[in-house]
Amino acid sequence: MNAEPLLYARIAPPAGAPETAAELRLEPEPGRGWTPSPEDWRDQVLYSIVLDRFARSERGRASGDPADGRSRHGGDLPGALERLGYVAATGATALLLTPVTQTVPEAYHGYAPVHLLGVDPHLGTMGDYRRLVRAAHARGLAVVQALVLGHAGPVFEYRAGGAWDGGRVKPLARWTRALRPLELNAPEHFCRKGAITNWDDARQAVDGDFPPDYRSFDTARLRTQELLIRCALWWIKEGDLDGLRLDAVRHLDPSFLERFCREVRAYAARLGKTNFLLLGENSTGRDEELKPHLEPLDTVYHYPAFRRDGLALRGQAPTRELELSQLRARETLGEPASRLLRFIDLHDTYRFLRPSQPVVLLKM
């Protein structure tokens, strides 16, 4: 099954980025120093940045119609660097960045990767990325990087029908884009069972594609696990990262999540990062559904509290509701509830304030 050359050409790989996982050098370089982890993440305040929409430098270029939600607004890494003073002035102590890996052009958010080892040229270069991290560290800001390892962007098409069909492996028609590292350009690294139609079906949640065409990696397969983990370790070393945000953890095979956390912690410790943060995302509204992820991960977003607390945070319900929300989490989860990450808003939710609401609510 060969990729169509014209489709390959649509997305040129970033200049100088590694092409294969085999060429990655993970052995720490003698004499190089890495930034230690924060001693206690419970005191950290994370500022979540959607890079394409946050700040645009003089180099940044918009692409497409701004009225179209899929367009690129031109935010970039140099733009984020220029705004670090603003971030620090909010009281934030850490940056939480959307993926920087190369994605398909229409996925401004970065969550449709086609190159797991290269910075998306729309955002800048690897040099820009390293400068941003260094400058953040110089200001005392830790850096947590979102990384997509459960799926790739639209890199192949099915021969007939793209929806889930009872969990059967579906034949592929063609590759539509090259995926890097190149070792992942093989059908066996993907589940190939079609797009999820029932989000409550546990089998579909792990093996199904994100509709319509974000292709699910076979994260139960050992060789696939090895390649994906190798990419993550390389980013930690090259970027001097303080933590990783794992997207959609309920869609990862549990064996992969356990292995990933174990190997990442061990590798980060070799770099002197003995309290490396592993943050997971599961957008459930039920406290009990967070429990399986709190064993391998350090924390997960507290989506149930986000859904319960909004009115009280806006002054439209008694503040007692905030305390009751936390008590409910503790009753369900026990001690791990103290490790949940509470948030005001993020890129998968509506903004905290509506246009008619006063900014003082956010400041308070």
Side-chain angles (χ1 to χ4, degrees):
M1 184 172 58
N2 297 318
E4 182 180 279
L6 289 177
L7 291 174
Y8 259 91
R10 287 181 186 173
I11 305 178
E19 293 280 293
T20 68
E23 67 191 271
L24 301 182
R25 297 294 174 257
L26 299 180
E27 190 64 29
E29 297 95 336
R32 179 181 170 185
W34 283 269
T35 306
S37 316
E39 291 185 7
D40 193 337
W41 282 95
R42 292 175 297 181
D43 294 330
Q44 301 295 315
V45 178
L46 280 67
Y47 192 103
S48 182
I49 291 178
V50 179
L51 285 162
D52 179 73
R53 303 297 167 88
F54 180 62
R56 183 169 65 190
S57 71
E58 289 186 356
R59 285 167 39 195
R61 294 290 180 270
S63 175
D65 180 1
D68 185 336
R70 297 168 297 179
S71 66
R72 300 268 185 157
H73 287 202
D76 57 4
L77 292 162
L81 173 59
E82 293 167 4
R83 298 286 282 165
L84 285 182
Y86 162 79
V87 174
T90 67
T93 61
L95 305 181
L96 175 56
L97 304 176
T98 48
V100 297
T101 49
Q102 189 176 26
T103 186
V104 293
E106 61 271 23
Y108 72 89
H109 43 70
Y111 285 92
V114 293
H115 197 322
L116 294 177
L117 303 174
V119 171
D120 195 310
H122 286 279
L123 300 178
T125 66
M126 191 60 154
D128 294 326
Y129 182 65
R130 291 180 177 131
R131 281 187 285 274
L132 173 62
V133 176
R134 283 198 300 269
H137 285 158
R139 287 183 175 269
L141 298 168
V143 180
V144 179
Q145 178 63 62
L147 195 60
V148 181
L149 296 177
H151 63 267
V155 294
F156 61 73
E157 294 176 351
Y158 291 108
R159 188 172 298 169
W164 180 271
D165 184 20
R168 288 180 285 274
V169 174
K170 304 165 78 71
L172 307 188
R174 60 173 183 167
W175 291 94
T176 55
R177 289 179 173 89
L179 177 64
R180 292 171 175 83
L182 293 171
E183 291 95 333
L184 289 173
N185 277 288
E188 59 266 25
H189 291 301
F190 294 87
C191 294
R192 294 167 285 146
K193 296 180 181 179
I196 297 170
T197 58
N198 178 5
W199 295 91
D200 294 323
D201 182 342
R203 286 185 65 206
Q204 292 190 49
V206 174
D207 292 346
D209 298 337
F210 276 69
D213 54 9
Y214 289 6
R215 305 309 184 194
S216 178
F217 287 122
D218 186 356
T219 55
R221 189 170 180 271
L222 293 181
R223 175 57 176 160
T224 308
Q225 292 180 3
E226 178 186 339
L227 290 169
L228 294 172
I229 291 172
R230 191 171 178 83
C231 293
L233 301 185
W234 182 79
W235 276 105
I236 295 169
K237 180 175 80 78
E238 293 298 310
D240 192 18
L241 300 176
D242 305 294
L244 290 175
R245 175 201 183 273
L246 283 182
D247 186 53
V249 291
R250 73 180 287 255
H251 300 284
L252 301 174
D253 187 86
S255 69
F256 172 65
L257 190 59
E258 291 171 10
R259 179 183 178 185
F260 178 88
C261 292
R262 182 175 65 252
E263 294 191 17
V264 163
R265 287 195 183 100
Y267 183 78
R270 291 178 61 194
L271 305 181
K273 299 173 180 290
T274 56
N275 196 24
F276 192 83
L277 184 73
L278 291 170
L279 161 65
E281 181 259 341
N282 179 355
S283 59
T284 178
R286 301 172 184 172
D287 292 278
E288 59 270 21
E289 291 186 356
L290 299 177
K291 194 167 188 176
H293 311 309
L294 282 169
E295 181 63 33
L297 293 162
D298 297 307
T299 185
V300 293
Y301 291 107
H302 198 176
Y303 264 95
F306 168 77
R307 292 184 166 93
R308 294 192 291 260
D309 297 351
L311 291 178
L313 289 173
R314 293 181 181 86
Q316 298 170 3
T319 53
R320 171 72 174 165
E321 295 297 322
L322 302 176
E323 183 180 1
L324 292 174
S325 176
Q326 289 303 94
L327 288 173
R328 178 174 171 180
R330 290 194 191 102
E331 288 171 359
T332 303
L333 299 170
E335 182 281 330
S338 66
R339 295 192 281 113
L340 292 168
L341 178 62
R342 301 177 77 186
F343 60 95
I344 295 174
D345 67 11
L346 45 74
H347 65 279
D348 284 326
T349 68
Y350 289 107
R351 300 309 303 267
F352 175 67
L353 294 179
R354 306 297 188 268
S356 61
Q357 295 174 319
V359 175
V360 68
L361 287 175
L362 179 61
K363 291 181 178 179
M364 182 170 59

